[in-house]
Amino acid sequence: MPTPSPDRRVALVTGSTLGIGRAVAVRLARTGHEVVVHGRDRERAAKAAAEVAAETGGHTDTVHGDVADPAAVSAMMREVHRRHGRLDALVINAGGHAASLLGMMHSDVVSRLFHVNALGATHTLQAAVKLLRRGTDPAVVLVSSVMGRKGAPGQAVYSATKAAVLGLTLAAAKELGPQGIRVNAVAPGYIQTDMLSTLDDRARAETIAATPLGRLGTAGDVAAAAAFLLSADACFITGQVIGVDGGLVL
Amino acid sequence: MSQLDRLRGVFRASLSLPADTDVDGLHYRAIPQWDSLAHMALVAAMEDEFAIMIDTDEMIDMSSFAKAAELLEKHGADAVT
């Protein structure tokens, strides 16, 4: 069993090769965490981890695998156990997005969204609990979405998967609280990532107009909220959903 | 001490059983001390003692002392004798 490093918290961020997950990894690496970068593909995860380390001067590691596959998730956690022995922080971010009217979405797309977003989050949390129990002041942040709270036309399936993440968060906070594990969620609004690349100029302008703070969010905005929820400053906060949406949910 | 004796010790300590308790025939929920919460603590103690990590499905299937011994062998802990 590896000897835990007393001065660096060990954090696993799933889906951290790009976008929000990548920003969370950078933020945590800058604040003294040893960040385990995760991607579905080994090479992309390794490349992202090297880039995060170079950008921050921090320590990174990698695991890879499809979170929709429980065996792959178990293998990932076994690697974390072998190399680090524990988890102090976990960010469950890996997810996918697809938008379509209800009657126009193929069943295989529906299944894939649920398998990655809802079941993937569940597999990850299940498999990580024992590592978190070995951590110091362990905390979990799940990345949901404003769609999981409010929904929108064309987003029904995605919204359902992200609502599932909120249910998982609330129940897990109650179940794991007595073990000292805090569980919270962030619910990003419209964030400037590849997921928004399908918005045309008009849709983008309408989205900004609907947001009280008058802009799209950044991945860094979400990372800041996640880092706060993982920090000692949030030591009495569990079972909460923090909207990072510029007021969109109001 | 043999691996099996170490496993017996883990069971007794995790389930708060007297040191002379015969645990070899023990089954999950057969005694009040081995409930679901204790089961999770027992698995964590096994992981610590033998430096292994037990999957969720394996944890659920570990329904007896004998199954726990099989699990140790599966995970490559030294021969359980």
Side-chain angles (χ1 to χ4, degrees), chain A residues 1-181:
Chain A
M1 175 105 34
T3 304
S5 168
D7 54 344
R8 282 198 302 272
R9 288 170 65 75
V10 178
L12 169 62
V13 184
T14 68
S16 48
T17 60
L18 289 171
I20 289 171
R22 170 72 166 258
V24 172
V26 166
R27 178 94 184 197
L28 295 180
R30 282 200 172 119
T31 52
H33 292 74
E34 177 147 4
V35 180
V36 182
V37 172
H38 161 263
R40 193 167 54 171
D41 174 78
R42 181 199 300 265
E43 286 71 28
R44 289 180 64 194
K47 180 171 182 286
E51 290 169 354
V52 170
E55 181 179 344
T56 63
H59 293 79
T60 61
D61 188 10
T62 60
V63 290
H64 72 280
D66 185 350
V67 296
D69 176 2
V73 174
S74 288
M76 283 162 40
M77 296 306 171
R78 202 182 297 280
E79 278 303 300
V80 173
H81 178 255
R82 187 175 65 78
R83 297 182 205 153
H84 303 282
R86 71 184 201 279
L87 276 178
D88 304 305
L90 170 64
V91 180
I92 299 178
N93 169 73
H97 179 255
S100 178
L101 296 178
L102 267 173
M104 298 293 287
M105 185 173 278
H106 283 291
S107 58
D108 58 344
V109 177
V110 174
S111 295
R112 181 65 187 164
L113 280 178
F114 270 94
H115 275 98
V116 173
N117 294 1
L119 295 178
T122 307
H123 298 322
T124 303
L125 185 55
Q126 269 194 301
V129 164
K130 286 183 290 159
L131 290 169
L132 289 161
R133 288 177 69 186
R134 293 182 168 84
T136 302
D137 300 326
V140 180
V141 171
L142 293 99
V143 179
S144 178
S145 166
V146 67
M147 293 303 160
R149 306 173 87 184
K150 285 194 70 174
Q155 303 283 343
V157 176
Y158 178 73
S159 297
T161 67
K162 289 301 188 178
V165 169
L166 296 181
L168 176 64
T169 301
L170 301 180
K174 289 183 177 176
E175 182 174 321
L176 301 178
Q179 299 171 48
I181 302 170

